[in-house]
């Protein structure tokens, strides 16, 4: 993996051992069995807050540790391995990115410390249709009485039922997609939960003539630039979680190849399966390089960070798609049973594939960014 | 080891030296083809004189093999410093011909000699390689020993102070123009398949050695059939222990995979980016996107595969800094590079339409003809140096720890 500083290594080790001890996939199973409408365990979430993970992207002046995107990505990877459910990514990664990049000093003062201490849970409300498309935003933000009136409907909003505030993507009078901070209890905001295969918290959010003050607009970057940058960062973060989901799927599969016997031999001794494992391993290593390069490009403020973000989401997507299918296939019958964890990984894999655009969308973006 | 300032100052010294010493007569010449001894690449006298002067200057600096010890013709530099030399030579539009001029010398024979050679062997052979004066070939594969190399049958008989070699090698790169050969031979026919093999070095200019170039689908003949009929290899040229040639060759092949994970010097495929070529041949819509959407998706997949390969090679270099173990990572990179490069050539051919079936003549640009030949010669990438399938065997067994999939005697 990428070279880490001592501080990053310590955090990674802490995350790895905490996730394995406190929030293994068995906990996800228990939670799912008890809560079929999705969500996360609040105790696990407050433990993450206590460990300071909510402050990784937040400047020290606002109560965070400002350790950057690779550090956050490494934690997302560990959480992905055990399918840990929490609003950490939606709030402390995507939400914090939006405010860091687009917020005024006052907005940062108001929101960032609250993200860090967990008293506010932010989430980006962007999609309005089942297929993510960056420019398909109909939700309108009309200037009115010195503020804005937002109207529209959002769907598949991650952590949408537990969020205390939405970062709403809406089209300004000038036709640019801008971001607005809308507390969930604002008059005119309503939401309802959606039951999904990955048993996470998703909501439909309706905005009916929601009046918000001028200071709800994240205006430090104009002309739709903030929206693009926040989505680019979000995609690189999703890629790191996908990497964790895929790597653990690979390890489960490899372990099974070494222990399951048929025809008097472990099945990993069959060349067809040995070669399949070799191809998956190669895809995993390529995916890791791309996922890490995505978050490192943000930390370095690299000129090509938009392309690297698209690359990271597309290549980890390619790996995880194949890996999650082979996870089921190689496990055979047991992989089809709900008692076994493989299905959880397949389901989460597809939810993450669709989130903020699938492989094809990011290949299209990559080509466009490279000029063809 | 070195701090960033020292490296930057090293880099500027290298840059200044290259700019001062690279002969203007060699600017823009296909030195890779000439240094590699390819039949298609012809050099006029000016180029030959310039190339030899440039080679000598590089050799005096020890930059033919910068990481080798100074006493053996190297410069005793670190890997990062050697990378800087390579980058600066490339950036100046120059080219280091020594690795190509030595055949398998700099990339494979030399590093293996450094590990397995006696002091006397190192002193005798390494300087000629580092200076680019002695070209080496390798006699490994045989007609009935390709991927299953250990089933080789070329015999070396102990004649007291020398070995007498009898048998046939095939796919011997550059055998017809090489001065020395490293050959894998059977020295004990009663031992197990891998246990009776030794690695010997022998001069090619002798009565018992005959070479016949093999014409390939790409039209060139870089490989030979090599026949040994009582060919003589001195006892002092046995590399490693008697009957322990298999461990020598395993290490040799690791060096081969390492050297095959990058690209080669000059490529017609790189003369313009593929998407630019596609815009030229295929056309774009109002938004500037290629009109062939299917091609566009496949092109971008290939670009991503190339970037993923480069990022992985870089990551593995970073991870392995200071360590010697290269086998596992190198196996992944050979296949990823092969997939990317073969696909890239196929895309180039597809983009050119029927211009991509040109063989020779004025109907086709030099670049187009070059691409066709590279498309054909590139098919060997998944065959040589351990085929694509052998690499996957190595990954599944050595990297993933899965049981051996085939029976080996």
């Amino acid at each position: 993996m990428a070279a880490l500083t001592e501080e990053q290594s310590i955090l990674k080790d802490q995350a790895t051992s905490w996730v394995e001890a406190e929030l293994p996939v068995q906990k996800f199973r228990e939670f799912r069995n008890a809560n079929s409408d999705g969500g996360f365990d609040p105790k696990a979430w407050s433990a993450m807050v206590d460990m300071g993970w909510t402050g990784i992207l937040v400047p020290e002046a606002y109560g965070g540790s400002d350790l950057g995107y690779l550090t956050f990505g490494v934690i997302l990877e560990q959480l992905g391995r055990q399918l840990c459910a929490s609003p950490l990514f939606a709030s402390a990664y995507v939400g914090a990115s939006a405010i860091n990049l687009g917020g005024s000093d006052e907005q940062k003062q108001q929101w960032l410390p609250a993200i860090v201490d967990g008293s506010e849970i932010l989430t980006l409300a962007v999609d309005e249709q089942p297929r993510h498309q960056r420019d398909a935003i109909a939700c309108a933000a009309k200037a009115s009485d010195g503020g804005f009136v937002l109207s529209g409907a959002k769907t598949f909003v991650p952590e949408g039922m537990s969020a205390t505030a939405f970062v709403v993507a809406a089209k300004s009078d000038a036709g640019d997609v801008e971001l607005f901070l809308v507390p969930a209890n604002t008059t005119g905001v309503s939401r309802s939960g959606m039951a999904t295969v990955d048993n996470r918290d998703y909501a439909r959010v309706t905005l009916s003539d929601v009046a918000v003050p001028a200071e709800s607009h994240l205006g430090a970057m104009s002309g739709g630039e903030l929206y693009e940058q926040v989505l680019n960062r979000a995609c690189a973060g999703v890629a790191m979680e996908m990497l964790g989901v895929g790597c653990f799927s690979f390890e489960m599969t490899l372990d099974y190849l070494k222990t399951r016997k048929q025809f008097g031999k472990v099945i990993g001794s069959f060349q067809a399966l040995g070669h399949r494992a070799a191809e998956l391993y190669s895809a995993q290593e390529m995916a890791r390089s791309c996922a890490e390069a995505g978050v490192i490009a943000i930390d370095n403020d690299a000129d090509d960070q938009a392309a690297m973000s698209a690359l990271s989401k597309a290549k980890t997507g390619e790996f995880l798609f194949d890996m999650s299918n082979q996870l089921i296939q190689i496990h055979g019958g047991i992989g089809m049973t709900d008692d076994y964890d493989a299905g959880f990984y397949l389901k989460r894999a597809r939810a993450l594939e669709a989130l903020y655009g699938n492989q094809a969308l990011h290949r299209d973006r990559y080509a466009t960014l490279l000029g063809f | 080891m070195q701090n960033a300032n020292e490296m930057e100052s090293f880099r500027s010294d290298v840059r200044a030296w290259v700019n001062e010493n690279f002969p203007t007569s060699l600017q823009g010449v296909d030195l890779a083809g000439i240094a590699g001894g390819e039949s298609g690449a012809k050099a006029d006298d000016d180029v030959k004189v310039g190339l030899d002067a440039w080679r000598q200057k590089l050799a005096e600096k020890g930059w033919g093999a910068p990481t080798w010890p100074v006493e053996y013709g190297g410069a005793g530099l670190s890997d990062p410093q050697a990378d800087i030399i390579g980058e600066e030579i490339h950036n100046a539009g120059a080219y280091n011909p020594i690795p190509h001029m030595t055949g398998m010398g700099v990339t494979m024979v030399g590093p293996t000699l450094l590990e397995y050679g006696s002091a006397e062997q190192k002193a005798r052979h390494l300087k000629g390689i580092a200076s680019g004066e002695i070209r080496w070939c390798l006699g490994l594969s045989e007609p009935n020993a390709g991927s299953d190399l250990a089933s080789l049958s070329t015999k070396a008989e102990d004649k007291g102070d020398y070995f007498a070699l009898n048998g046939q090698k095939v796919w011997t790169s550059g055998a017809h123009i090489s001065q020395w050969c490293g050959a894998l031979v059977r020295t004990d026919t009663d031992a197990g398949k891998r246990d009776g093999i030794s690695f010997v070095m022998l001069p090619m200019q002798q009565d018992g050695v005959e070479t016949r170039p093999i014409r390939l689908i790409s039209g060139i003949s870089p490989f030979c059939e090599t026949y040994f009929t009582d060919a003589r290899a001195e006892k002092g040229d046995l590399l490693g222990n008697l009957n322990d040639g298999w461990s020598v060759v395993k290490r040799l092949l690791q060096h081969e995979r390492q050297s095959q994970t990058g690209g080669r010097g000059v490529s017609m495929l790189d003369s313009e980016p593929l998407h630019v070529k596609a815009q030229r041949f295929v056309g774009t819509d109002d938004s500037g996107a290629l009109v062939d959407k299917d091609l566009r998706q496949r092109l971008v997949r290939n670009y991503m595969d190339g970037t993923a390969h480069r990022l992985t090679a870089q990551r593995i270099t970073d991870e392995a800094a200071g360590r010697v173990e290269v086998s596992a990572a190198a196996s992944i990179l050979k296949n990823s590079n092969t997939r990317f490069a073969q696909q890239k050539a196929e895309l180039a051919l597809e983009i050119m339409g029927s211009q991509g079936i040109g063989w020779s003549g004025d109907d086709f640009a030099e670049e187009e003809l070059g691409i066709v030949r590279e498309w054909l010669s590139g098919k060997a990438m998944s065959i040589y140096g351990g085929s694509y399938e052998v690499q996957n065997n190595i990954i599944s067994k050595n990297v993933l720890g899965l049981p051996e999939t085939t029976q080996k005697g």
Side-chain angles (χ1 to χ4, degrees), chain A residues 1 258 275 289 315 363-364, chain B residues 296 305 312 319 393 400:
Chain A
M1 66 170 301
K258 290 178 180 175
H275 282 199
S289 309
K315 288 300 283 184
R363 283 194 287 268
D364 176 70
Chain B
R296 181 172 178 267
D305 287 348
T312 304
E319 286 171 355
N393 282 346
L400 303 180

Side-chain angles (χ1 to χ4, degrees), chain B residues 68-316:
Chain B
W68 296 5
V70 176
E71 58 176 317
Y72 299 131
L77 297 174
S78 66
D79 285 336
Q81 285 175 314
D83 290 345
I84 286 174
I85 293 173
E87 285 159 19
E88 287 305 321
I89 287 177
H90 179 80
N91 291 344
Y95 175 75
N96 185 348
I98 291 179
H100 265 108
M101 295 177 92
T102 64
M104 305 291 144
V106 167
T107 51
M108 296 169 68
V109 175
T112 311
L113 260 166
L114 278 170
E115 281 177 59
Y116 283 89
S118 64
E120 191 272 331
Q121 287 173 327
K122 288 192 257 195
R124 194 143 49 90
H125 291 297
L126 287 173
K127 273 192 176 167
I129 296 174
S131 66
E133 288 166 297
I134 305 293
R135 185 187 294 273
W136 282 73
C137 62
L138 285 170
L140 305 179
S141 296
E142 297 181 6
N144 292 314
S147 288
D148 182 12
L149 184 59
S151 68
L152 61 92
S153 61
T154 293
K155 245 186 260 176
E157 202 183 334
D158 190 337
K159 295 283 189 185
D161 55 351
Y162 73 98
F163 293 104
L165 274 58
N166 283 285
Q168 185 199 339
K169 294 290 177 182
V170 72
W171 307 122
T172 336
S173 300
H176 57 313
I177 51 173
S178 291
Q179 285 84 40
W180 277 81
C181 176
L184 205 57
V185 293
R186 191 158 295 288
T187 38
D188 184 347
T189 46
D190 298 328
K193 201 166 149 187
R194 293 176 183 176
D195 300 331
I197 292 174
S198 300
F199 190 96
V200 297
M201 302 178 284
L202 69 158
M204 292 294 281
Q205 275 70 43
Q206 57 168 304
D207 289 344
V209 177
E210 187 195 346
T211 59
R212 291 183 202 157
I214 303 167
R215 184 175 155 89
L216 297 181
I217 55 175
S218 55
I220 60 168
S221 305
F223 299 108
C224 294
E225 297 174 317
T226 302
Y227 297 88
F228 297 129
T229 310
D230 287 329
R232 184 180 172 117
E234 301 301 327
K235 280 280 178 71
D237 281 325
L238 171 72
L239 185 61
N241 292 328
L242 187 69
N243 295 326
D244 191 31
W246 192 249
S247 61
V248 178
V249 80
K250 274 205 298 196
R251 194 70 188 123
L252 190 83
L253 291 175
Q254 284 174 352
H255 290 300
E256 177 178 36
R257 278 172 211 130
Q258 249 183 335
S259 71
Q260 285 165 355
T261 51
R264 63 163 275 198
V266 179
S267 165
M268 287 296 177
L269 277 165
D270 291 329
S271 59
E272 87 187 316
L274 271 193
H275 73 272
V276 175
K277 192 186 299 301
Q279 284 165 340
R280 196 153 59 82
F281 277 90
V282 181
T284 54
D285 63 19
D286 293 342
S287 70
L290 290 174
V291 290
D292 183 339
K293 299 299 176 201
D294 184 88
L295 172 67
R296 181 172 178 267
Q297 277 273 346
R298 286 181 291 124
L299 201 53
V300 73
R301 275 177 187 266
N302 183 251
Y303 274 40
M304 285 187 166
D305 287 348
T307 306
H309 168 77
R310 282 191 297 278
L311 288 169
T312 304
Q314 184 58 53
R315 179 164 69 82
I316 286 167

